[in-house]
Amino acid sequence: MPNAFWTNWKLQGEDQSSITALKRISEERTVQITSSEESDDYKAIITEWGVERITKNTLQRCQRKEKEKSQRRLLDEQKKRSKDLEELFTYKLSVFQTDSIKKSNNRKIKSKIRKAKSLLEAQAIATILIGIEQGIIDEKPE
Amino acid sequence: MKNLSKGYVIIASRSVFFYKSALYLIESIKDFYPDAKCCLVTEERFLDGYETIADDLLLCDDHLRAKLDGMARSPYDLSFYIDADCEVVHEDIEHVFEELGEYDVMFTELTDDRAYCFKEIHFPAGKMTLCGGVCLYDMSRPIVREFMRDWYDLTVKQYDKSWWPVDENGQYDYANYPETLSRWDQFSLWWLVNKEPKYKNLKVGIFDDDARWNYYSKYIKQHCVKPIVIRHFSDSKVKSSL
């Protein structure tokens, strides 16, 4: 029964009361089983693998799982960032279809909208420009 | 040393999204490089008065081939083509022309570690390595002018199925070159660069730290060292936003 590891090693602090391992149940089929201390499977795995080897395998598995988790987290963060960037780009394009912004000659503020790094920043600057164009806000002379 | 003209070529055909996005792209180039010369290639039906942001205007039709037609008609010696669904985010855009060096044409690369972002790179007879999202080329060199025209001509034939690589029986070789490749102008590019004897001496380069010149929004790993210069938003959701 290969790939044996302590099932609850991390969860319950180096616990050895349960083992998970692959068990071949027929020529074509292998299943993952979890066995507790009293079971025959548990005893058979201990005999075949030895405690030390199971512990080593468990530690390697924990490390691998940690690495996978951190990679997944990084990937999720990057996917979110990618989605945020697409939303920001879409927003900026749509802002420039708004009449008062489209027709504005205020190149300086329009450029700031394009260079905005977040949706909030782009929205805030766009709002200011609309305010200026509609005479609600006075733009101070440079 | 020749005094070569330099400019950016942006092509917007087929959908109003590309037109709006192209105008945005031109503005973003000028945000970082106010003296930049930009040529907009677009369809007459899209013109709304705002096209005057472009320094040069060329008209094209509404076919997929418009991109390569526009590239081949660039009014600048040193031309930098950028897909319309991009934005410029760094001042190095001004210095892109210095990247060409002794090369005739330059692209970014379709690498294996970025393959997750692209639909089709590998095929039984080879692998497309050049990405057509941006292209820097020197139209003052006759071989480049001819290459651009041939790329256009071959792509037109590829799209209308009047050309395809043939097998030993003279039949279209879909076993080695699956038909699905026919939608990519990068395939006709691959063919010309790898199989066309006329272009065996064409100097085709890849940008240093290439991803910064064509950074796809779908990239979920870090693919460049220096700051990103061009962001590319090829996602269909973005394209349906206007």
Side-chain angles (χ1 to χ4, degrees):
Chain A
M1 282 191 269
N3 295 328
F5 62 90
W6 305 117
T7 315
N8 301 317
W9 180 264
K10 252 196 107 178
L11 210 63
Q12 291 171 17
E14 303 187 4
D15 176 88
Q16 296 184 358
S17 61
S18 172
I19 298 175
T20 301
L22 295 176
K23 183 178 185 179
R24 184 172 283 258
I25 54 169
S26 70
E27 275 295 305
E28 299 84 23
R29 223 168 142 222
T30 302
V31 294
Q32 191 177 51
I33 57 157
T34 296
S35 337
S36 56
E37 266 172 314
E38 303 77 28
S39 71
D40 291 342
D41 278 337
Y42 184 95
K43 287 167 195 160
I45 296 166
I46 294 282
T47 308
E48 187 184 334
W49 275 65
V51 171
E52 208 174 301
R53 211 164 136 216
I54 297 172
T55 303
K56 193 179 165 196
N57 198 41
T58 305
L59 291 172
Q60 282 173 348
R61 186 175 182 276
C62 288
Q63 274 181 352
R64 198 177 60 245
K65 290 282 172 191
E66 270 305 311
K67 197 176 165 192
E68 283 168 8
K69 202 171 144 190
S70 117
Q71 280 172 341
R72 239 188 341 263
R73 199 183 307 122
L74 191 68
L75 219 62
D76 287 346
E77 279 170 18
Q78 280 163 328
K79 273 183 187 167
K80 187 183 177 305
R81 181 163 161 65
S82 160
K83 194 167 163 265
D84 289 349
L85 277 170
E86 282 169 359
E87 275 175 18
L88 179 60
F89 181 67
T90 304
Y91 174 75
K92 289 176 183 176
L93 284 180
S94 69
V95 154
F96 283 93
Q97 308 316 310
T98 310
D99 255 7
S100 48
I101 291 181
K102 195 174 179 181
K103 289 175 182 163
S104 169
N105 292 320
N106 196 327
R107 184 157 180 88
K108 189 177 152 192
I109 299 186
K110 286 167 95 168
S111 173
K112 282 189 185 299
I113 298 172
R114 281 188 291 270
K115 289 180 180 177
K117 302 270 188 234
S118 71
L119 203 56
L120 183 66
E121 189 186 351
Q123 284 167 336
I125 303 168
T127 306
I128 291 169
L129 183 53
I130 293 172
I132 291 170
E133 291 302 322
Q134 296 187 355
I136 301 164
I137 301 171
D138 283 331
E139 190 184 16
K140 286 182 184 165
E142 285 177 37
Chain B
M1 181 139 172
K2 286 185 290 180
N3 193 12
L4 301 174
S5 61
K6 298 169 187 169
Y8 304 84
V9 179
I10 292 100
I11 296 156
S13 68
R14 308 194 79 207
S15 102
V16 74
F17 166 83
F18 288 115
Y19 176 73
K20 306 277 187 195
S21 187
L23 294 182
Y24 183 91
L25 169 59
I26 293 172
E27 295 274 16
S28 75
I29 294 170
K30 291 180 183 247
D31 284 342
F32 289 96
Y33 180 20
D35 295 331
K37 294 286 176 210
C38 296
C39 175
L40 173 65
V41 184
T42 193
E43 294 176 50
E44 195 167 7
R45 64 183 168 131
F46 294 143
L47 302 181
D48 57 2
Y50 290 96
E51 72 280 358
T52 51
I53 181 68
D55 304 274
D56 296 283
L57 179 70
L58 298 174
L59 294 178
C60 65
D61 63 17
D62 69 347
H63 195 276
L64 269 174
R65 66 191 169 212
K67 167 184 166 180
L68 297 166
D69 175 43
M71 287 175 76
R73 289 194 287 145
S74 168
Y76 313 118
D77 295 325
L78 294 181
S79 299
F80 186 45
Y81 164 81
I82 311 174
D83 268 0
D85 49 353
C86 292
E87 71 170 335
V88 166
V89 295
H90 195 274
E91 62 203 24
D92 278 359
I93 191 66
E94 183 177 349
H95 305 293
V96 67
F97 303 102
E98 296 157 24
E99 299 284 317
L100 193 60
E102 289 305 307
Y103 288 111
D104 294 314
V105 286
M106 194 169 245
F107 296 91
T108 59
E109 197 171 12
L110 300 168
T111 58
D112 284 339
D113 67 327
R114 302 174 202 158
Y116 64 88
C117 199
F118 302 108
K119 288 195 174 82
E120 203 169 12
I121 295 181
H122 294 272
F123 52 97
K127 179 193 167 195
M128 292 187 282
T129 54
L130 303 175
C131 176
V134 300
C135 176
L136 180 60
Y137 53 109
D138 184 349
M139 289 284 277
S140 74
R141 299 178 192 179
I143 191 170
V144 176
R145 298 184 86 88
E146 195 172 350
F147 176 77
M148 286 297 165
R149 188 41 61 185
D150 280 351
W151 187 12
Y152 166 74
D153 287 340
L154 190 63
T155 308
V156 169
K157 290 179 191 164
Q158 177 181 302
Y159 284 155
D160 72 17
K161 301 190 186 302
S162 61
W163 170 82
W164 199 247
V166 290
D167 59 22
E168 62 274 18
N169 302 316
Q171 302 297 309
Y172 284 179
D173 187 358
Y174 291 131
N176 283 309
Y177 306 96
E179 199 175 359
T180 49
L181 294 169
S182 67
R183 61 186 161 150
W184 308 117
D185 58 33
Q186 284 152 173
F187 179 67
S188 44
L189 174 64
W190 179 87
W191 183 266
L192 289 177
V193 168
N194 293 283
K195 298 286 184 181
E196 175 53 60
K198 186 162 64 165
Y199 295 117
K200 73 177 193 314
N201 294 323
L202 183 78
K203 286 174 267 178
V204 181
I206 302 288
F207 284 92
D208 281 342
D209 202 13
D210 66 315
R212 69 189 299 245
W213 297 104
N214 184 20
Y215 209 91
Y216 282 88
S217 61
K218 289 288 173 212
Y219 281 166
I220 49 172
K221 294 175 190 161
Q222 188 63 37
H223 291 298
C224 62
V225 179
K226 289 189 195 164
I228 296 166
V229 180
I230 296 169
R231 284 195 182 278
H232 196 157
F233 298 92
S234 58
D235 187 73
S236 55
K237 273 189 219 146
V238 174
K239 286 172 188 156
S240 60
S241 65
L242 290 180

